[in-house]
Amino acid sequence: MKPLQRTTFFTAALLLLTAVHHVYGAIIYHTHWRLHVLFVAIPVMLLVYLLDRQLRKHPDNNLLLVGYLLSVGLFPLLTIGLYEGLYNHLIKNIVFLATGNNSFFRMLFPPPVYEVPGDFWFEATGILQAFIFYPLLTSFSKMIKLAVRYREQIL
């Protein structure tokens, strides 16, 4: 699979998982504000898909490439993968297991925005976002390197 295909695949996987994770969290924690992610994740996923298709048809279009890289980099990669998956879930669970629900934990993860780990599926889907972040970051980085050197190899 080429970097464009891989990046689009991991972006879609991350955004779909994020949608499921936030719907589930909104239901079990009665925090319907979590549903706001759907209004960004679904349009971004569609945008990335459409830009992917257009890049395959027009591989020399720099505007499409920049749009694609920004669409993947800003929301899926940084906001969801790095912040939501890595910090909000993976690091939160590690700190909780190491310290418990003490003042240090609550300082890093203050309620009501953060939940004390208590629901397996909510935490598992959140942590899984961090694990999808890594291959997405790897593929995205490779795509940028190849775009700079050998543009035709990314498509």
Side-chain angles (χ1 to χ4, degrees):
M1 196 181 314
K2 292 192 177 193
L4 178 64
Q5 294 169 300
R6 216 174 12 252
T7 303
T8 299
F9 172 78
F10 285 119
T11 298
L14 182 61
L15 293 175
L16 285 172
L17 176 65
T18 298
V20 170
H21 170 76
H22 279 84
V23 168
Y24 181 75
I27 293 168
I28 65 164
Y29 292 118
H30 307 288
T31 51
H32 299 294
W33 55 264
R34 292 177 195 271
L35 298 175
H36 74 283
V37 170
L38 298 176
F39 296 107
V40 180
I42 293 170
V44 169
M45 186 171 43
L46 292 173
L47 177 62
V48 168
Y49 175 77
L50 291 172
L51 288 169
D52 173 293
R53 295 294 158 229
Q54 288 303 308
L55 270 171
R56 290 170 197 263
K57 291 178 189 172
H58 309 285
D60 293 328
N61 189 319
N62 287 332
L63 188 60
L64 286 174
L65 180 61
V66 169
Y68 178 87
L69 293 173
L70 286 173
S71 297
V72 171
L74 294 177
F75 184 72
L77 193 64
L78 294 177
T79 305
I80 299 299
L82 183 65
Y83 180 69
E84 168 74 5
L86 195 64
Y87 177 73
N88 284 359
H89 288 285
L90 184 61
I91 292 173
K92 179 184 81 171
N93 279 275
I94 290 169
V95 170
F96 181 76
L97 290 172
T99 67
N101 187 11
N102 65 12
S103 60
F104 178 70
F105 176 80
R106 289 189 303 278
M107 178 185 70
L108 291 176
F109 305 100
V113 175
Y114 296 94
E115 302 291 338
V116 173
D119 183 88
F120 175 80
W121 292 112
F122 182 73
E123 296 305 328
T125 56
I127 290 169
L128 189 55
Q129 293 171 358
F131 286 100
I132 295 174
F133 167 72
Y134 179 73
L136 177 56
L137 178 62
T138 303
S139 180
F140 183 81
S141 299
K142 184 174 183 179
M143 194 170 164
I144 289 175
K145 288 176 190 173
L146 289 173
V148 170
R149 290 189 198 140
Y150 313 104
R151 184 114 182 193
E152 64 279 356
Q153 289 186 12
I154 66 170
L155 304 174

